[in-house]
Amino acid sequence: MMDYKVLYRKYRPTRFDEMVGQKFTVEMLKNAVINNKIAHAYIFTGPRGTGKTSSAKIFAKTINCLSPVDGEACGKCSNCLSFSNSPDIIEIDAASNNGVDDIRELINNVKIAPTEGKYKVYIIDEVHMMTQSAFNALLLTLEEPPSHAVFIMATTNIESVPITILSRCQRFNFTKISLDDLCNQLKFVCKNENISIDDDAILEIASLSEGGMRDALSLLDQLSSTNTKITTDLIVANYGSISYSFINNVIEALDSSNLTSLHEYFSQLSTSGADYKIFMKKFIDSLVGSFNNNKFKRLTYSQVKSIVFEFNSIFNEININVNPFMLLELILINNLAHDVTPHADESINILNTAKSDDLVNSKIQDNDNLSVSSSFSSHDDVSSVQVSDDFVKLRINNCFYGAKKSILNDIKQIWNDIRDSSRLSDEVISYVSDTDVVASSSSYAILVTDLDSTKHIINENLKILEDEVKSYFDEVMHFIVLSKNEWLNVKKEYVTNIKNGYIYKFIPENIEDDINTTQNDEILETNIFESDKIEIV
Ligand SMILES: [Zn+2]
């Protein structure tokens, strides 16, 4: 066992090309080398096992390489060959107890030029663990770094790093490694190491390690030491895990409202000693995954969302005195009983009315110029569940029909007041604070948000927002929420339409609305947006 190397160390990447995941970060770091734009300080942040320290080492090696090729170290020059023992690469683990004095001393020596390499590179792991005095010493150096010094800091806890340090660093966010990437790497390692394993078991290990390569390979290490074929059963037995095929059976029972099967599965879970937290995570993963892939016959967006929220809210609060699986089963059954929320119902009714009525229908088609549908269907199946493209188009159309810049300015003012209001429910306040008004008529307004989740939630609860806003300033406003990109497309379409002489007509949402009550006899203009200049790219 002397030369036994744990898999994680053995398969640690030594080149950017070998990195698993983090494509964007790797690309940026390579470009820095290619363009010879090396900053004095970097901070790599992200969950454990996602490649921060490996990237730091690869970057340190590459910037010291005498003849890098396409942003990768050559592996042949004297600096590359001596890299692992180079005195110019200083690794500091800020989490270790004796680290503090080391850090101060090492940083004090920063002015001394590198002995061999081009750069003296300080790799500080878990930098958030440094003491205040160590941070102070580091800060002094970062304020006036010698030209040969490069600091690469890594942290799993960026919130604990002082802003004075952060402001002097180039920041790179490392994300959890995707299931696919983890699976591929596990397959590669198993093949190389002659580890006998089935595909389901690989997926099982990948999902248990939650995006961390180190955890995935450590788990594989432990499992492979048994010298028997690694199967899902073995993992389930050893780690209280639950297989994806089992989870998918539960979800299928839920989707077909088969309460007998559902109860059967939960009885099995209760008696199997399975870990309910693992179950909850995997269940949510699979539930959302199946929803996104349109696999459900009956489950609606509202139900999926509500299950996810309820699971999430009890995740850390399940009392060990109750049987957690019983509680989870109850949540699922309860959500089956409440099919669609009343607000979503209303939106759907409006859509059905609009669709079934020829007059309205033809008006919507009249409006084909406003071809926003492509931007909605491209990546966004969820929105179409509750608020159809037609409904969105209709509201956008009606907003543009009477939109004026002066109204927009008023509404923006009101929006700011609402944000500070204590009269509205927390729910509505949170909607309002995540969105901006970008166009408005006296009864329609388009809101824009950065967050897809906000968009879906508000569009599903438009009635709540409208009721509360009405109680606030006595006007009936109809809202629609778009993502930033959708808005840019919509805005562009609008300006093009106006330039082509297209005239917007009001489309009633309900049949009872009198189509002729509103006449828009003013000349339409492009100048309805916030800025005076309309920038169209
Ligand atoms: Zn080299």
Side-chain angles (χ1 to χ4, degrees), residues 61-62 64-68 72-81:
K61 183 176 182 177
T62 314
N64 268 319
C65 172
L66 298 173
S67 48
E72 292 272 16
C74 72
K76 295 170 196 157
C77 70
S78 57
N79 283 352
C80 279
L81 293 174

Tab-separated table of all heavy atoms in Angstrom, residues 61-62 64-68 72-81, ligand 1:
chain	number	residue	atom	x	y	z
A	61	LYS	N	1.474	27.568	-12.214
A	61	LYS	CA	2.436	26.888	-13.082
A	61	LYS	C	2.480	27.562	-14.458
A	61	LYS	O	3.559	27.803	-15.018
A	61	LYS	CB	2.021	25.418	-13.228
A	61	LYS	CG	2.965	24.570	-14.054
A	61	LYS	CD	2.499	23.117	-14.044
A	61	LYS	CE	3.456	22.235	-14.833
A	61	LYS	NZ	3.042	20.821	-14.775
A	62	THR	N	1.298	27.876	-14.967
A	62	THR	CA	1.221	28.410	-16.326
A	62	THR	C	1.852	29.798	-16.436
A	62	THR	O	2.562	30.083	-17.405
A	62	THR	CB	-0.251	28.455	-16.798
A	62	THR	OG1	-0.861	27.225	-16.476
A	62	THR	CG2	-0.340	28.679	-18.278
A	64	ASN	N	4.214	30.906	-14.758
A	64	ASN	CA	5.667	30.813	-14.612
A	64	ASN	C	6.336	30.057	-15.751
A	64	ASN	O	7.558	30.026	-15.861
A	64	ASN	CB	6.021	30.147	-13.282
A	64	ASN	CG	6.214	31.196	-12.191
A	64	ASN	OD1	6.804	32.250	-12.436
A	64	ASN	ND2	5.685	30.931	-11.010
A	65	CYS	N	5.532	29.433	-16.599
A	65	CYS	CA	6.082	28.654	-17.713
A	65	CYS	C	6.821	29.584	-18.681
A	65	CYS	O	6.365	30.693	-18.954
A	65	CYS	CB	4.959	27.916	-18.437
A	65	CYS	SG	5.487	27.121	-19.964
A	66	LEU	N	7.940	29.126	-19.196
A	66	LEU	CA	8.742	29.965	-20.083
A	66	LEU	C	8.182	30.007	-21.494
A	66	LEU	O	8.407	30.952	-22.235
A	66	LEU	CB	10.198	29.458	-20.105
A	66	LEU	CG	10.897	29.526	-18.742
A	66	LEU	CD1	12.263	28.848	-18.784
A	66	LEU	CD2	11.017	30.977	-18.264
A	67	SER	N	7.476	28.964	-21.909
A	67	SER	CA	6.864	29.023	-23.247
A	67	SER	C	5.481	28.367	-23.264
A	67	SER	O	5.302	27.275	-23.786
A	67	SER	CB	7.777	28.356	-24.282
A	67	SER	OG	8.213	27.104	-23.807
A	68	PRO	N	4.514	29.064	-22.667
A	68	PRO	CA	3.151	28.505	-22.642
A	68	PRO	C	2.558	28.390	-24.053
A	68	PRO	O	2.895	29.176	-24.935
A	68	PRO	CB	2.359	29.524	-21.809
A	68	PRO	CG	3.153	30.777	-21.830
A	68	PRO	CD	4.596	30.382	-22.021
A	72	GLU	N	-1.764	27.192	-21.928
A	72	GLU	CA	-1.415	26.051	-21.071
A	72	GLU	C	0.102	26.031	-20.864
A	72	GLU	O	0.869	26.401	-21.759
A	72	GLU	CB	-1.812	24.727	-21.739
A	72	GLU	CG	-3.301	24.498	-21.873
A	72	GLU	CD	-3.928	23.813	-20.663
A	72	GLU	OE1	-3.287	23.782	-19.570
A	72	GLU	OE2	-5.056	23.304	-20.812
A	73	ALA	N	0.522	25.547	-19.683
A	73	ALA	CA	1.957	25.398	-19.444
A	73	ALA	C	2.526	24.347	-20.395
A	73	ALA	O	1.841	23.388	-20.748
A	73	ALA	CB	2.201	24.975	-18.002
A	74	CYS	N	3.794	24.535	-20.808
A	74	CYS	CA	4.368	23.621	-21.803
A	74	CYS	C	4.709	22.263	-21.189
A	74	CYS	O	4.718	21.245	-21.862
A	74	CYS	CB	5.617	24.232	-22.444
A	74	CYS	SG	7.051	24.273	-21.337
A	75	GLY	N	4.994	22.249	-19.886
A	75	GLY	CA	5.311	20.984	-19.221
A	75	GLY	C	6.752	20.521	-19.455
A	75	GLY	O	7.170	19.486	-18.947
A	76	LYS	N	7.528	21.285	-20.230
A	76	LYS	CA	8.867	20.837	-20.595
A	76	LYS	C	9.978	21.779	-20.128
A	76	LYS	O	11.111	21.376	-19.946
A	76	LYS	CB	8.978	20.702	-22.120
A	76	LYS	CG	8.086	19.625	-22.705
A	76	LYS	CD	8.077	19.750	-24.230
A	76	LYS	CE	6.902	18.962	-24.817
A	76	LYS	NZ	6.541	19.469	-26.144
A	77	CYS	N	9.659	23.049	-19.959
A	77	CYS	CA	10.704	24.015	-19.619
A	77	CYS	C	11.186	23.801	-18.176
A	77	CYS	O	10.575	23.057	-17.414
A	77	CYS	CB	10.197	25.441	-19.816
A	77	CYS	SG	8.953	25.919	-18.606
A	78	SER	N	12.284	24.459	-17.838
A	78	SER	CA	12.864	24.233	-16.509
A	78	SER	C	11.876	24.624	-15.403
A	78	SER	O	11.763	23.939	-14.388
A	78	SER	CB	14.176	25.000	-16.369
A	78	SER	OG	13.926	26.376	-16.606
A	79	ASN	N	11.137	25.707	-15.626
A	79	ASN	CA	10.172	26.122	-14.603
A	79	ASN	C	9.051	25.106	-14.439
A	79	ASN	O	8.618	24.824	-13.321
A	79	ASN	CB	9.570	27.487	-14.961
A	79	ASN	CG	10.535	28.625	-14.662
A	79	ASN	OD1	11.599	28.386	-14.055
A	79	ASN	ND2	10.183	29.826	-15.073
A	80	CYS	N	8.590	24.557	-15.559
A	80	CYS	CA	7.519	23.558	-15.480
A	80	CYS	C	8.039	22.317	-14.745
A	80	CYS	O	7.353	21.759	-13.890
A	80	CYS	CB	7.035	23.159	-16.876
A	80	CYS	SG	5.862	24.342	-17.573
A	81	LEU	N	9.267	21.898	-15.099
A	81	LEU	CA	9.801	20.672	-14.513
A	81	LEU	C	10.052	20.802	-13.018
A	81	LEU	O	9.892	19.857	-12.257
A	81	LEU	CB	11.084	20.250	-15.250
A	81	LEU	CG	10.837	19.819	-16.700
A	81	LEU	CD1	12.162	19.543	-17.420
A	81	LEU	CD2	9.935	18.578	-16.778
B	1	ZN	ZN	6.810	25.414	-19.319
